[in-house]
Amino acid sequence: MAIKKVIYVNTYAYKGQHEVINAALLSAICEIFEEIKVYTGKLSWRILLNYIQRKDLIVRYIGVVSGKSKIANVLRYFVSAMYNLLILFISPRCCVIIYVFNNLFSLHIINWLNKLLKRNVLIVCHGEMELLISSECMKLSFSLLNTSSMRLCF
């Protein structure tokens, strides 16, 4: 039985954060799946609409904490984690849940709970590449990639 439904979960981004990768991922999902339910913030959705051709998506707006302060960022992580867990609980088993943000507050809990709930979960890790900004970080990253004990599959 092929899975035909997907839940696209973007509980962290507000405005245009990661808009290109999120739009590309959602466009690819639109080509593969028949029924798509999207959980995202209103501002983020308005920006994604510029890239998405398909209009039959089921959209559920969620509250995303805005702001650039440290407190706003921590609150955004926390609220995002709560939404991620709620969506995991309310989702049916017959679909794929795609989390487009790797929220460290909910990642391990989702993994643990999903052992019991047995959902089809995909977590996209793309924002981590932003951490490789300084040349020292890049040197460290490349040295880690070149170690024989680490094997990467692409």
Side-chain angles (χ1 to χ4, degrees), residues 2 4-5 13 31 62 83 86 110 145:
K4 298 179 182 180
K5 296 179 183 182
E31 295 295 322
I62 57 169
Y83 276 126
L86 176 66
I110 287 172
L145 290 175

Side-chain angles (χ1 to χ4, degrees), residues 1-146:
M1 177 175 100
I3 298 174
K4 298 179 182 180
K5 296 179 183 182
V6 69
I7 298 175
Y8 173 94
V9 181
N10 186 1
T11 59
Y12 184 81
Y14 74 101
K15 294 185 182 178
Q17 287 181 316
H18 306 285
E19 70 181 80
V20 174
I21 187 70
N22 289 340
L25 179 62
L26 188 55
S27 294
I29 290 169
C30 288
E31 295 295 322
I32 299 168
F33 294 95
E34 294 177 11
E35 183 180 321
I36 303 165
K37 185 182 284 189
V38 177
Y39 288 93
T40 190
K42 275 188 180 181
L43 292 176
S44 193
W45 179 245
R46 286 183 191 151
I47 292 169
L48 282 176
L49 276 177
N50 295 325
Y51 301 98
I52 305 302
Q53 302 300 320
R54 197 164 150 183
K55 302 299 181 200
D56 64 338
L57 306 177
I58 303 164
V59 181
R60 301 286 184 255
Y61 296 119
I62 57 169
V64 177
V65 178
S66 62
K68 295 183 178 182
S69 69
K70 289 181 182 178
I71 293 172
N73 199 30
V74 170
L75 280 173
R76 189 167 37 257
Y77 266 99
F78 180 74
V79 171
S80 169
M82 294 298 107
Y83 276 126
N84 288 347
L85 295 174
L86 176 66
I87 292 166
L88 181 68
F89 276 115
I90 66 173
S91 66
R93 280 191 176 176
C94 64
C95 65
V96 176
I97 307 168
I98 301 176
Y99 293 100
V100 298
F101 181 74
N102 182 10
N103 186 330
L104 296 176
F105 286 2
S106 63
L107 187 64
H108 294 292
I109 299 169
I110 287 172
N111 187 36
W112 183 80
L113 283 174
N114 200 39
K115 290 178 183 177
L116 302 172
L117 298 173
K118 300 191 184 326
R119 303 290 194 265
N120 300 302
V121 173
L122 176 67
I123 298 173
V124 178
C125 303
H126 59 79
E128 291 74 11
M129 297 306 287
E130 293 173 352
L131 300 175
L132 301 176
I133 293 172
S134 73
S135 62
E136 288 184 33
C137 288
M138 289 192 63
K139 287 178 188 175
L140 175 64
S141 299
F142 285 120
S143 68
L144 288 174
L145 290 175
N146 288 329

